[in-house]
Amino acid sequence: MGSLHDPHTKPFRTTRRAALGLFLGAPLLTACSGVQQTLSDQFGQQQPAPGPTQQPAAVGSGRVKVGLVLPLSAPGNAGVAAQSMKNAAEMALAEFHNPDIQLLIKDDGGNPVGAQSATQQALAEGAEIILGPLFAQSVPAAAQAARARGVSVIAFSTDSSVAGRGVYLLSFLPESDVNRIVGYAGSVGKRSYAALLPDNAYGSVVEAAFKQITSQKGGRIVAFEKYGADRAGPARTIAASLGSADALLLADDGEALAGVADALTGAGADLKRVQLIGTGLWDNPRVFATQALQGGLYAAPDPSGFRAFAGRYRTRYGQDPVRTATLAYDGVALVAALARTQGTQRFSTEVLTNPSGFAGIDGLFRFRADGTNERGLAVMKVASGGPVAVAGSPKSFGA
């Protein structure tokens, strides 16, 4: 997770055969960005007390050792997320028939010092690759320890600023959402865009991606505003400009997004005459229940993958997974597949950045050379009963 919204994703599924079958193929595919949710939104009712640092654990008996670094003893939502991700990692190991993998599970306590120590422990025990950490602030510390050994890190942060040489992000990046939804809007004839974004780190990432992709697609931005605690002023400015826009980008989550819609309506905006577009943060029951947002479009992984995964997880553990649990599952499935098919080059840069990508629970994904990722996302429509797919996720990456 990152320092942005720390959007944690939600639950989805794929059949075990589909997910693992594609993972086994040697070029694998990619797909899945978008569905993001804050930890507090996702885990509101489950608030464990901070736990003692968890004892290191090894799962599996394979020859290829893989470090898994998670904030298992962190308080509150972070610890809940970490435990769910640990469960998902162990589930992947169990479902991936006889993998030659041993998971070295390490607790980083949710902080950089712990992340560096946990990574060093895993490396000392022979880890050939590190999965994790979860939080952006911990990734550079883990990466420093791993680089000293020439070992790559596949982290779960949503903050692309911590990606880099040998540090790959297996997460849901806002940039992917924006590229998909603006690209889709352009493909159905939208040319003039307005945007009203939160004045925070997440909003800044969305802003940069929005301006870049709009320019690339030949669109134009007719109005752009950011808001802090006061939404009314920026909403009035946008409302006054909507007559010359045919799409309006909003990028906030749940309650906040509903409040933005209310501010726009209160400023006189007719939200039915423009196409509302958004990011994976829209994948939230509060959004589906908001009348003003009905018909809005957003980019997210195809929900069928998470639904299937969540069903198997519930059967195994008796509770729902956190949305980011699929990242840990896919990380383990990926390294297991590469260990099986790629020999001594299994975790090389060339293998990890295969342009064909990989197929995971949430669809296609591939790592870029700069450590960020690209995901194959679906386009979903907001409806009162929940999201409805209007454009499926791609089955392969273009050139």
Side-chain angles (χ1 to χ4, degrees):
M1 305 296 300
S3 61
L4 306 176
H5 249 344
D6 268 338
H8 270 57
T9 35
K10 283 177 203 159
F12 281 138
R13 308 180 194 168
T14 7
T15 66
R16 169 173 150 187
R17 191 164 139 266
L20 299 184
L22 285 171
F23 260 123
L24 289 168
L28 305 148
L29 300 173
T30 87
C32 163
S33 154
V35 179
Q36 295 151 333
Q37 198 172 10
T38 60
L39 278 172
S40 57
D41 281 351
Q42 180 69 31
F43 313 120
Q45 306 309 313
Q46 309 170 53
Q47 295 281 353
T53 299
Q54 296 212 2
Q55 293 303 306
V59 181
S61 56
R63 293 169 298 172
V64 179
K65 294 183 178 180
V66 174
L68 178 63
V69 176
L70 292 169
L72 293 161
S73 65
N77 294 332
V80 172
Q83 183 61 49
S84 188
M85 294 177 78
K86 172 179 177 285
N87 288 347
E90 294 181 7
M91 185 169 118
L93 208 58
E95 292 185 349
F96 202 98
H97 307 289
N98 303 312
D100 194 16
I101 294 289
Q102 183 178 46
L103 274 184
L104 307 175
I105 299 171
K106 305 296 180 185
D107 176 20
D108 67 15
N111 63 77
V113 173
Q116 186 168 35
S117 174
T119 302
Q120 286 170 337
Q121 288 175 31
L123 294 166
E125 292 169 28
E128 296 183 29
I129 193 165
I130 301 295
L131 302 178
L134 179 59
F135 295 116
Q137 62 181 4
S138 297
V139 174
Q144 182 180 25
R147 281 196 185 110
R149 299 284 192 99
V151 168
S152 291
V153 171
I154 297 178
F156 305 126
S157 170
T158 56
D159 184 346
S160 57
S161 72
V162 300
R165 180 176 58 88
V167 181
Y168 304 96
L169 300 184
L170 178 60
S171 50
F172 305 111
L173 301 179
E175 300 94 318
S176 289
D177 296 7
V178 176
N179 288 343
R180 177 63 165 130
I181 196 61
V182 174
Y184 177 80
S187 76
V188 295
K190 306 305 180 187
R191 295 289 178 267
S192 301
Y193 296 86
L196 180 57
L197 304 178
D199 190 8
N200 57 23
Y202 183 84
S204 295
V205 172
V206 170
E207 175 185 358
F210 170 63
K211 289 178 175 177
Q212 180 179 35
I213 191 69
T214 303
S215 173
Q216 287 174 358
K217 298 292 183 182
R220 65 191 184 102
I221 298 172
V222 298
F224 179 89
E225 291 289 327
K226 296 179 88 167
Y227 56 85
D230 170 40
R231 300 172 183 140
R236 281 193 297 273
T237 303
I238 292 295
S241 305
L242 278 187
S244 54
D246 49 24
L248 170 61
L249 175 67
L250 305 175
D252 218 329
D253 61 0
E255 204 62 45
L257 187 64
V260 170
D262 287 344
L264 285 164
T265 303
D270 180 1
L271 298 182
K272 297 304 178 192
R273 69 153 303 279
V274 294
Q275 178 60 62
L276 298 178
I277 57 175
T279 65
L281 289 181
W282 283 38
D283 194 56
N284 184 299
R286 182 70 177 86
V287 173
F288 306 135
T290 301
Q291 185 58 39
L293 298 173
Q294 299 297 303
L297 303 176
Y298 65 95
D302 184 322
S304 63
F306 185 82
R307 283 196 299 265
F309 164 80
R312 301 200 313 278
Y313 185 103
R314 279 192 296 271
T315 297
R316 189 177 188 91
Y317 297 110
Q319 58 190 1
D320 287 331
V322 303
R323 183 57 183 85
T324 38
T326 57
L327 302 181
Y329 185 102
D330 282 352
V332 172
L334 174 61
V335 297
L338 297 180
R340 178 173 291 176
T341 62
Q342 303 299 309
T344 58
Q345 293 300 301
R346 50 189 167 248
F347 305 137
S348 66
T349 299
E350 294 72 24
V351 168
L352 291 173
T353 58
N354 182 334
S356 295
F358 310 95
I361 293 291
D362 295 302
L364 294 176
F365 65 93
R366 63 180 170 185
F367 297 122
R368 295 191 173 102
D370 66 2
T372 61
N373 70 54
E374 180 179 355
R375 286 181 173 273
L377 301 176
V379 174
M380 310 299 292
K381 180 169 71 174
V382 175
S384 58
V388 176
V390 297
S393 54
K395 299 297 182 263
S396 66
F397 285 115

